[in-house]
Amino acid sequence: MDIKGQAAIVTGGASGLGEATARALALAGARVAVLDRNGDRAAQVAHEIGGLALGCDITDADSVQAALARAAAAHGPARLLMNVAGVGGAKRMVQRDGSAAPLEDFERVVRINLLGAYNVSRLFAARCAGLEPLADGERGVIVLTASVAAFDGQIGQQAYAASKGGLVSMTLPMARDLARHGIRVCTLAPGLFATPLMQELPEEVQKSLAASIPFPPRLGHPDEFAQLACHVVANGHLNGEVIRLDGALRMAPR
């Protein structure tokens, strides 16, 4: 699908990988709606790219429906969805004091990363399925954001790995389900990237993490993630696929 002229939705578009993706889509000619809980930062990004900022809780159906409706009113029906919003978190199952890890922490990560992405995808797909097909029969593209933790989850990452693994496992059945509507689905699984969250770590820690990547031995750049996301849109034969973007990294247990 040609990105130019299309309306796009980017969740988590106010920072990190989501911001880079929003900027890349806008640069390619898309009309971009930046969805994020951080309304101020979303407004700043949207202003800089000529897009639309929308506060949104991806786990709440009413919030997502309202955001999609406002985006459609401003930009027209969206054919592109970039699910980038998510949270991290690590907690050992048995704490140092011998107590079990709080169930609420696990629920929160899975609810945002997995249920939130599915919630936005299902509501977007229902709207997209009603659009007129393009010349090749295609109606839309959904890109999910997993992580290498889906395959190489580290100690304490049970919730994060489960949430990202759920996205990986959901990719093919979702692509098969939406094939009859002409909607493609792919998932990107990034490794270690220079996001704001990563940059909060001490510099020596960042250097150590970067050195663990075989090649190139550096943290990934958010614009490299954005480039791949845009390529998924442009390459009409990419469907039902999970793509690692990690410089051949395989995470150690800790």
Side-chain angles (χ1 to χ4, degrees):
M1 182 183 296
D2 187 356
I3 293 174
K4 187 175 181 180
Q6 300 299 343
I9 305 292
V10 182
T11 71
S15 64
L17 303 181
E19 178 184 350
T21 303
R23 291 183 182 279
L25 287 169
L27 189 62
R31 302 184 299 278
V32 182
V34 179
L35 275 60
D36 205 284
R37 290 188 300 176
N38 187 337
D40 292 340
R41 177 59 187 162
Q44 180 180 342
V45 173
H47 174 73
E48 292 173 359
I49 66 174
L52 175 68
L54 296 169
C56 181
D57 176 358
I58 63 172
T59 68
D60 182 84
D62 291 339
S63 179
V64 174
Q65 287 281 40
L68 293 178
R70 288 181 59 193
H75 292 162
R79 292 186 184 271
L80 308 180
L81 171 62
M82 301 290 172
N83 277 301
V84 192
V87 296
K91 190 149 287 187
R92 288 177 181 259
M93 293 182 71
V94 179
Q95 304 292 283
R96 290 186 177 182
D97 63 2
S99 64
L103 183 59
E104 305 81 52
D105 290 351
F106 190 98
E107 289 177 332
R108 172 179 172 271
V109 173
V110 172
R111 179 166 182 78
I112 294 172
N113 292 355
L114 180 57
L115 298 185
Y118 179 76
N119 187 39
V120 180
S121 297
R122 72 184 181 92
L123 296 174
F124 167 86
R127 287 173 170 267
C128 194
L131 301 180
E132 285 297 316
L134 301 177
D136 58 0
E138 191 168 28
R139 287 189 173 87
V141 180
I142 296 174
V143 175
L144 303 168
T145 304
S147 164
V148 296
F151 312 98
D152 313 325
Q154 295 184 296
I155 290 172
Q157 284 191 328
Q158 288 86 356
Y160 187 68
S163 68
K164 297 302 187 178
L167 294 174
V168 168
S169 297
M170 188 167 65
T171 304
L172 182 58
M174 185 183 287
R176 287 171 164 171
D177 192 344
L178 296 177
R180 68 190 182 101
H181 300 295
I183 301 172
R184 293 187 288 115
V185 183
C186 282
T187 293
L188 307 186
L192 300 175
F193 274 71
T195 61
L197 184 63
M198 177 68 74
Q199 290 167 346
E200 290 178 2
L201 297 175
E203 185 174 351
E204 56 271 21
V205 174
Q206 294 185 49
K207 289 181 178 178
S208 175
L209 290 171
S212 68
I213 301 173
F215 189 83
R218 60 165 175 79
L219 299 176
H221 301 312
D223 63 340
E224 292 172 318
F225 175 92
Q227 289 168 16
L228 182 55
C230 288
H231 179 74
V232 169
V233 175
N235 190 325
H237 208 56
L238 271 174
N239 194 18
E241 188 59 73
V242 178
I243 307 170
R244 290 183 67 133
L245 185 64
D246 57 22
L249 172 70
R250 296 299 180 268
M251 300 290 283
R254 68 181 73 201

